[in-house]
Amino acid sequence: MATGIYAKGKEYKSEVPPTWCAGCGDYGLLNAFMNSLADQQINVNNTALISGIGCSSRFPFFIKAYGFHGVHGRALTIASGVKLANPELEVVAFGGDGDGFAIGGGHVPHMCRKNMDMTYIVMDNSIYGLTKGQMSPTTTPGMKTSTTPYGAPDNPINPLAFVLTYGATFVAQAFSGNPKQMRGLITQAMKHRGFSYINVISPCPTFNKQDTFDSYKEMFEDLPEDHDTSDKPGAIAKALDRTSGKLYSGVYYEDKETPTFLDRIAEQRKTAGAFDFQKILDIYRP
Amino acid sequence: MGHKSDLCIRIGGEGGEGIISSGDILAQAAAKAGLEVLTFKTFPAEIRGGYAMYQIRMSSEKILSEGDGFQVLVVFNKEALDNNINKLKAGNVLIWDGPEGGDINELPEVPEGVIVYNLPMSKLAKVDLGVYRSKNMVCMGALSELFNIPVDRLKEIINNRFGKKGQDIVDLNYKALQLGIDYVKENHQGISNPYNVVAQEQNKDVIIMSGNDAVGLGALMAGCNFFACYPITPATEIAYWVAKHLVKKGGTVVQTEDEISSIGAVVGASFAGAKAMTGTSGPGLSLMTEILGLGVMVEAPLVICDVQRGGPSTGLPTKHEQSDLFLACYGGHGDFPRIVLSAENVADCVDLTIHAFNLAEHYQTPVILLTDGSLGFRTETFEAPDINKVKVVNRKMYNPDTDGEFLRYKFTEDNISPTAIPGMEGCAHMQTGLEHNEKGSPNYGPVFHTKNTEKRFNKIANAEDFFESSHSDIEEGATVGVVTWGSTQGSVREAVQQAREAGVKVSAFYPKLVWPFPMKAFNEFLKTVDKILVPEVNYQGQLAEIIKTKEIGKEIIKYNIYGGLPFEPQEIAKKIKEVQ
Ligand SMILES: Cc1ncc(C[n+]2csc(CCOP(=O)(O)OP(=O)(O)O)c2C)c(N)n1
Ligand code: SF4
Ligand SMILES: [Mg+2]
């Protein structure tokens, strides 16, 4: 086995001990992610894990791969640069609900519509964990947080519907309480060509007392067997469906046809013509 | 060139009237005739209408700046006339769109000694040719006849430009040229003028290009292979250039959703090993400052070109100002350095972009190159650079045989840590914007923050030795030393010539590196003068303020203008005389 590829998930773990609270949902992703790396036989030397700022954004520290922990909200911008500079790399971006959909919310639509060749995994705990419990863009209206002592006045965004609308070509939801299913979804997302998104419901027992493992366990259900992953309006409807009181995990949507950003620019490069320095200067010779 | 060695023609009219293209053609024709050329353009920030100006200065000798106004004024409309009439002096030539057919119905009184040529170009184009938009070509024809600009060269350029659109278009333009020529022959035989373009032998391989294009060319020559940008006046042409040409060389150019994303992508690309760059103007650089600090923290080689415009806020998008020096040198939270360069002229845009990449790679740090709108837009002739002679520097990579254990932020003698990029075996590591230990793991202890802060500052402290980072022009006996940065350096060079011709002794210091300021060279320079004069196109005297912090023990005299236009050399020459 080449160096950098490991048989077992655990072997992908770096020597840095996770900084998360006991019971944090992010551990579920960490385990599932490492197992998926082993399943895929991923080489850490060719892998770059990019994140923003938040509890969840510490994720790359705990894996043996190349990693970049940048600034709040900009993980996708940095990840896109990494991938475009070296398309051979496996690039996965990580972050929290605040990192991705509040401060970084302006970038997500564009990575979706560019169909940027990478995977984005958001650990959604409906709270700002690292900064100790403020309202996040997925906080349930009315929930009391440290900045909203009388209840959150904002309506939440729906991350799945958001990325579906803007053109992500693989969209799934996973639950930290179900790492086995998550492991498979991660593998599917990373194998997908184009922009793949996984919303991981990842409870924060420390600062979000309302959305707990137990409450989520009640609500989570696999997407129905007959869910059509090629039907975008159907996927959006499922993502928005709150009437049943259910949350669905699994693959909402998958589009294997739309060319990726790298596909498109590779095609265009063929039309640019060969490089000839003197020919370029000729344009400027009087 | 006749009995005047230096001719400057200013063409003014409504944006969209073909002012810019006729100016370009004229500039090219002069360059084809073997002359040195420097153009200067201003145009409205609006898409349609508004006053546009194109000035072409041509000379048998190297041109240093936009110069002191014009000798020949061509006005396409009333607004252009009104804007310039009070600048006309005896001996100048005025060519105006009249007396009939255009919107200047009557020529107001002009100063005595101004040589006036009527040229009803609107009427000639509209009525005689039947195509109003050929007005600018009618004018070109007249200019060629009046100043002996070789018409064959003009035709050659027209053919190259419009040939693709079909012979009809080329013929139409030729016809328009001829109308202008004939009009002058028939009507102005009796009026002579002292200006005469004399073609000369050009034995250098010359190109004529704009500052923005030159930044693109420099990037290409430096090995840039990643460019991310968000459109902004007056910097967007850099993106046009690289989008077209870098891609041929295997580079990647991406338009992002904003400048934050551009600089994020540039940091990411640099992490992945690319030579990465973005081009922007002040508003974009403001947005980039958080990630600029990240770039310094993770020690990412990268280049940002800021084509400055008037500010603050949206400010004066198409006007000239050099007011981002503080932002470039100090912008961003926290306590961190960066390298800042500033370009004097178009050739400098090529050279300094190459230096910017080399400095970034060598020191593993962001480098900001400051140019400005008038430099970005102006075209200049200069000797074609040779890509085979360019010295390209690459970042120091980790070598397992000599470097021991891989530590991304290893403390070394020269403060430069051998690095590794994703794809390299056995070097997987984390980079973080958090303060960190040698490995790159977060560490907020006093030892690492102290040592790393010093490392970040110390590693670039001697950047002035890395390349020809300044130029001293010392005249013995001079008491005043002029110091400035950016394109004002050209105006200063010309002012220094004028002052010396007038018998005033003056020295000058031209820094290419503005941060960290080249103090070794500057201290040597300071030994020769008693005081320094710092002309800048900003209110605060940003360079003067930076120099003040160096406690040089000499009087610092600020000289500031901030009206959206560059200095005229004569203004600076006058000031030199005043303060000497
Ligand atoms: C520009 C900027 N603004 C604010 C912060 C402070 N900050 C750090 S993390 C964070 C929110 C984290 O929430 P989320 O992204 O949901 O991650 P979590 O901690 O919940 O995993 C904030 C507001 C920052 N680091 N940078
Ligand atoms: S604060 Fe919440 S999100 Fe952060 S580590 Fe603790 S449990 Fe996890
Ligand atoms: Mg959160």
Side-chain angles (χ1 to χ4, degrees), chain A residues 3 15 45-46 58 61 64 66-69 74 77-78 81-82 107 110 114 269 272-273 275 280 284-286, chain B residues 32 205-208 241 250-251 255 257 260 265 268 421 423-433 439 444:
Chain A
T3 55
E15 58 198 49
N45 292 314
N46 300 326
R58 288 299 181 97
F61 282 101
K64 275 177 182 158
Y66 282 90
F68 197 103
H69 176 246
R74 316 300 170 198
T77 71
I78 294 166
V82 174
H107 304 303
H110 303 282
K114 278 183 156 82
R269 201 183 293 283
F275 173 68
I280 294 174
Y284 302 97
R285 290 190 169 102
Chain B
K32 255 189 192 303
D205 178 15
V206 164
I207 56 176
I208 177 165
W241 201 96
Q255 178 178 328
E257 60 277 13
I260 297 175
I421 57 172
M424 279 169 68
E425 208 169 289
C427 298
H429 66 279
M430 278 299 298
Q431 296 196 6
T432 172
K439 230 180 154 162
Y444 320 131

Side-chain angles (χ1 to χ4, degrees), chain A residues 13-280:
Chain A
K13 189 145 180 351
S14 79
E15 58 198 49
V16 181
T19 39
W20 298 315
C21 307
C24 176
D26 297 351
Y27 286 105
L29 174 66
L30 183 61
N31 290 327
F33 188 76
M34 292 190 297
N35 284 330
S36 166
L37 293 183
D39 293 345
Q40 297 179 72
Q41 288 292 282
I42 294 283
N43 187 334
V44 295
N45 292 314
N46 300 326
T47 304
L49 311 180
I50 317 295
S51 64
I53 300 295
C55 292
S56 41
S57 289
R58 288 299 181 97
F59 193 95
F61 282 101
F62 315 133
I63 308 270
K64 275 177 182 158
Y66 282 90
F68 197 103
H69 176 246
V71 293
H72 194 29
R74 316 300 170 198
L76 289 179
T77 71
I78 294 166
S80 69
V82 174
K83 184 68 182 183
L84 294 177
N86 184 355
E88 303 295 311
L89 299 174
E90 193 73 58
V91 176
V92 186
F94 297 88
D97 40 325
D99 194 77
F101 293 100
I103 192 165
H107 304 303
V108 182
H110 303 282
M111 297 302 157
C112 291
R113 71 189 183 85
K114 278 183 156 82
N115 200 16
M116 192 59 77
D117 307 57
M118 61 193 194
T119 297
Y120 183 33
I121 302 178
V122 166
M123 286 155 263
D124 181 359
N125 53 14
S126 299
I127 199 84
Y128 285 3
L130 188 69
T131 46
K132 301 191 192 308
Q134 301 82 20
M135 174 181 68
S136 98
T138 58
T139 295
T140 305
M143 189 171 109
K144 289 180 178 153
T145 74
S146 47
T147 44
T148 58
Y150 306 111
D154 302 8
N155 287 315
I157 60 130
N158 183 309
L160 294 167
F162 188 105
V163 300
L164 281 163
T165 305
Y166 284 113
T169 50
F170 179 97
V171 179
Q173 179 154 265
F175 173 41
S176 281
N178 188 354
K180 213 171 134 208
Q181 182 191 37
M182 182 153 44
R183 171 179 181 169
L185 291 173
I186 293 165
T187 302
Q188 272 183 280
M190 286 178 68
K191 291 210 152 119
H192 175 77
R193 298 186 74 258
F195 189 77
S196 53
Y197 176 78
I198 306 179
N199 201 59
V200 176
I201 298 294
S202 183
C204 167
T206 309
F207 292 112
N208 185 342
K209 305 290 184 196
Q210 187 173 313
D211 306 304
T212 64
F213 271 100
D214 288 340
S215 67
Y216 277 125
K217 236 174 233 153
E218 300 263 302
M219 294 160 78
F220 257 109
E221 203 167 90
D222 288 354
L223 278 164
E225 294 258 318
D226 62 354
H227 175 72
D228 179 0
T229 57
S230 67
D231 171 17
K232 194 190 275 196
I236 293 174
K238 271 274 175 300
L240 291 173
D241 176 21
R242 286 286 185 274
T243 52
S244 59
K246 294 283 171 205
L247 278 176
Y248 299 102
S249 57
V251 179
Y252 279 68
Y253 182 68
E254 190 173 13
D255 161 12
K256 296 180 178 162
E257 306 304 320
T258 302
T260 73
F261 189 78
L262 281 167
D263 288 343
R264 287 210 163 108
I265 61 171
E267 233 4 83
Q268 290 160 1
R269 201 183 293 283
K270 291 182 198 154
T271 65
F275 173 68
D276 179 341
F277 189 66
Q278 291 309 321
K279 257 200 183 144
I280 294 174

Side-chain angles (χ1 to χ4, degrees), chain B residues 353-421:
Chain B
T353 305
I354 297 169
H355 285 309
F357 274 98
N358 288 348
L359 286 157
E361 288 284 321
H362 178 79
Y363 292 109
Q364 298 183 24
T365 199
V367 176
I368 299 171
L369 170 63
L370 295 172
T371 70
D372 58 64
S374 61
L375 179 53
F377 288 141
R378 90 187 193 197
T379 52
E380 250 180 271
T381 45
F382 59 103
E383 193 167 353
D386 184 346
I387 196 168
N388 299 314
K389 289 201 183 128
V390 173
K391 183 183 136 213
V392 171
V393 176
N394 297 312
R395 62 191 85 168
K396 192 197 268 177
M397 299 303 289
Y398 167 71
N399 178 347
D401 300 331
T402 55
D403 293 337
E405 183 197 358
F406 176 69
L407 293 169
R408 172 64 189 95
Y409 300 105
K410 190 174 179 155
F411 294 120
T412 61
E413 202 138 306
D414 61 1
N415 293 301
I416 293 161
S417 314
T419 188
I421 57 172

